[in-house]
Amino acid sequence: SQKIEQNSEALNIQEGKTATLTCNYTNYSPAYLQWYRQDPGRGPVFLLLIRENEKEKRKERLKVTFDTTLKQSLFHITASQPADSATYLCAGPTGGFKTIFGAGTRLFVKA
Amino acid sequence: NAGVTQTPKFQVLKTGQSMTLQCAQDMNHNSMYWYRQDPGMGLRLIYYSASEGTTDKGEVPNGYNVSRLNKREFSLRLESAAPSQTSVYFCASSPGETGTYEQYFGPGTRLTVT
């Protein structure tokens, strides 16, 4: 079955460093991938979408890559801040307007 | 512009009781979704409505029913609640047009079934 997998271990980094989160997909070839941010007790918030023919996409301090050979997307936050601490979800389409989500990676940024 | 709203925020049910979770969006979106989120399992799609008047099963539909009341509202009903349905439920909407895929989520309903 189609799967989106993210590292379940939390990522701890120091303020000012670059955080890199990984999303791997298996058993299908998504036309695009999305990244969402989720804070505790709240719903996910859309951040970025990258299409399969786009190698890289940027938005302010965020950068996403899409490698169809490795079947992987990387999500980078440069100059990270404590306010970036949250869970980040990767998601991909599965037909029609349906979407599957990874379980998310928790990011902690220490001051 | 409230976005996606959900009621109630919290609910405790006894096994066998029924309830309806309400969701409304004010963004004129065509598509609406119900997900459940359990620790370590991510968001799983229960039901979705690609457009007003249509509903379809997602990954985990058993034990649930939905109604797309109009373009704004999409409700989720548990007819006979079971402890396995203890979860956080999120409603989401998206424009539902080719090229626009991002989803907008409500604040969630935390449901406990004892």
Side-chain angles (χ1 to χ4, degrees), chain B:
Chain B
N1 217 358
V4 178
T5 57
Q6 292 182 237
T7 55
K9 285 190 167 53
F10 300 94
Q11 184 72 47
V12 179
L13 291 178
K14 289 186 171 19
T15 298
Q17 287 185 319
S18 62
M19 78 162 296
T20 300
L21 282 65
Q22 307 285 355
C23 173
Q25 52 92 8
D26 62 2
M27 296 172 282
N28 200 37
H29 285 170
N30 290 314
S31 301
M32 297 185 74
Y33 311 81
W34 276 105
Y35 294 90
R36 59 178 289 174
Q37 187 174 40
D38 301 294
M41 297 194 72
L43 289 158
R44 291 184 292 167
L45 183 65
I46 305 171
Y47 270 93
Y48 71 104
S49 171
S51 60
E52 187 180 358
T54 69
T55 60
D56 282 291
K57 294 178 181 178
E59 182 186 353
V60 288
N62 291 345
Y64 305 95
N65 283 301
V66 290
S67 295
R68 183 77 183 266
L69 303 168
N70 47 55
K71 193 170 186 180
R72 290 187 63 247
E73 298 172 285
F74 188 38
S75 63
L76 178 72
R77 183 158 178 84
L78 286 70
E79 290 291 352
S80 178
S84 60
Q85 294 178 304
T86 293
S87 187
V88 182
Y89 291 84
F90 288 101
C91 177
S93 70
S94 69
E97 297 160 4
T98 302
T100 57
Y101 305 112
E102 64 270 22
Q103 296 187 20
Y104 297 80
F105 285 80
T109 295
R110 187 172 295 273
L111 174 67
T112 302
V113 183
T114 61

Side-chain angles (χ1 to χ4, degrees), chain A residues 11-21 37 59-63 75-86 88 106-111:
Chain A
L11 180 63
N12 291 282
I13 64 165
Q14 205 66 34
E15 183 176 11
K17 301 292 186 186
T18 296
T20 298
L21 286 67
R37 169 183 172 139
K59 179 182 176 183
E60 297 172 354
R61 294 184 295 111
L62 308 181
K63 184 179 87 170
F75 177 83
H76 306 272
I77 305 176
T78 57
S80 57
Q81 305 165 359
D84 295 325
S85 298
Y88 292 86
R106 192 89 187 264
L107 172 67
F108 293 97
V109 181
K110 298 179 196 175

Side-chain angles (χ1 to χ4, degrees), chain A residues 30-52:
Chain A
Y32 58 86
L33 290 167
Q34 302 180 59
W35 284 88
Y36 290 78
R37 169 183 172 139
Q38 186 173 23
D39 291 290
R42 310 192 76 161
V45 175
F46 172 78
L47 296 174
L48 281 167
L49 179 149
I50 184 166
R51 300 177 195 280
E52 61 179 342

